[in-house]
Amino acid sequence: MELCYMDGDALDTLKRSLPQILEKYFIEKDNAWIAKIYGKNPFVKFREVPDFELAPLDLEPGEIHFRNSKILYKNLSFLTPRQAADERFWAGLCHGVFYDYVRRLLIYDKVKDSSDETKTINAIKSRFFLSGGARERIINNTLSKYWWARHIFSDEGLDILGANDFSTKIFSIGTRAFIGNKKLLNGFIKFLRHFKEKNIELNAKTHIRPAMSELNKRGGAIILDCLTEEEIAAIMIEHVEKFFAEKSSAEKTSAKKVSTEKSAAEKSAAEKTLSERIVKDGDKIYATSLAEGSIKIFKFGNKVFQKLIGKKVGHVFEWNGKQWKITVIKKA
């Protein structure tokens, strides 16, 4: 496999011409159009490497990114960090030997979002070229993020990070300044391992980013370099476990509230049902004396009972010289 840089002038020409050539990325299945736009071969040979293939595109997105990080780094481990930060190199790969793969990975072969041309142009600048700040640009590019993910983490580190939500995790981690500090990075990996061993899946937005923000906040009060890897991990672990504890407490409170509301609703429904019942043959009638508050049970066969058939709870009647109110009607 021949790896090529993109000629600097060709790179500039393509980026300047994006508004006019935008459609090419969605309709052209091979990269022959690039030479036509530039007027000559836009690629400069860099190095021959043994042929290799990237992850199958029928896998889940996270699994594709996870596997590609190991595959690409293994085959391009000879790159220096300086070479791996060169826009010409990644633009060469994205427009060269992996052009069709990148298009299909981004689903450009099937879908084109034409609702916002500026947004689409910016997406191509970051996915086929390098665009953004010093850290964002190498993490946003479709292929360079794989090399840098594995460069930042060891194979073991990637395994701990896991395939789920891979791109979001890598962006959240790779764009942080502290990631270049070996001690902080190792502390971060210990933090991830803590939850991995407990089979707890961490979400980048909900758990990882807030934990890193907490670490940065602590860094305003203490010098993080003075901490051990274990102490760095402990700060982030404590923050996430506090989040889980608060979430669990909130869920229990919510469940209790729902249960109470359900019980109240059921009680209200039961009371409504009882209040709407009418006396039928065979029922038991519980009546309360309005004068004394005493309770009397009237059963089927009682002379008074016959007069109460068809009456509801709350009905007032006279018996034995006193006023009584039906309070409960039960089936015998």
Side-chain angles (χ1 to χ4, degrees), residues 206-274:
T206 308
H207 308 129
I208 296 177
R209 286 181 185 173
M212 290 191 293
S213 295
E214 177 65 19
L215 185 64
N216 285 336
K217 187 166 65 176
R218 298 283 188 95
I222 57 176
I223 300 176
L224 295 179
D225 277 341
C226 293
L227 301 178
T228 65
E229 294 174 2
E230 289 71 21
E231 289 171 330
I232 291 166
I235 290 173
M236 291 187 280
I237 290 170
E238 178 187 5
H239 184 79
V240 173
E241 289 187 336
K242 181 181 178 182
F243 169 83
F244 283 134
E246 291 175 348
K247 181 181 178 183
S248 176
S249 177
E251 288 174 346
K252 287 179 180 178
T253 300
S254 178
K256 184 177 181 181
K257 181 180 178 182
V258 170
S259 178
T260 301
E261 291 175 347
K262 182 179 179 182
S263 297
E266 290 174 345
K267 181 179 180 182
S268 176
E271 290 174 346
K272 182 178 180 182
T273 299
L274 287 174

Side-chain angles (χ1 to χ4, degrees), residues 290-331:
L290 297 183
E292 303 170 355
S294 57
I295 298 175
K296 172 72 176 177
I297 299 176
F298 296 88
K299 298 181 180 180
F300 179 73
N302 187 293
K303 291 182 180 180
V304 176
F305 184 94
Q306 301 301 318
K307 296 179 180 180
L308 298 177
I309 291 177
K311 304 301 182 182
K312 293 183 178 182
V313 170
H315 175 76
V316 177
F317 62 95
E318 186 174 331
W319 177 73
N320 203 19
K322 299 178 181 179
Q323 295 287 313
W324 300 78
K325 182 171 72 172
I326 299 175
T327 52
V328 178
I329 303 170
K330 288 187 176 182
K331 292 181 179 181

Side-chain angles (χ1 to χ4, degrees), residues 67-103:
R67 292 193 188 187
N68 278 343
S69 294
K70 292 190 175 184
I71 294 170
L72 198 68
Y73 190 85
K74 178 182 178 181
N75 287 278
L76 304 182
S77 59
F78 54 82
L79 291 176
T80 65
R82 183 173 181 176
Q83 289 172 326
D86 193 322
E87 181 179 22
R88 295 172 302 161
F89 179 73
W90 297 113
L93 261 61
C94 288
H95 291 85
V97 292
F98 293 117
Y99 171 76
D100 182 54
Y101 184 89
V102 171
R103 284 184 68 253

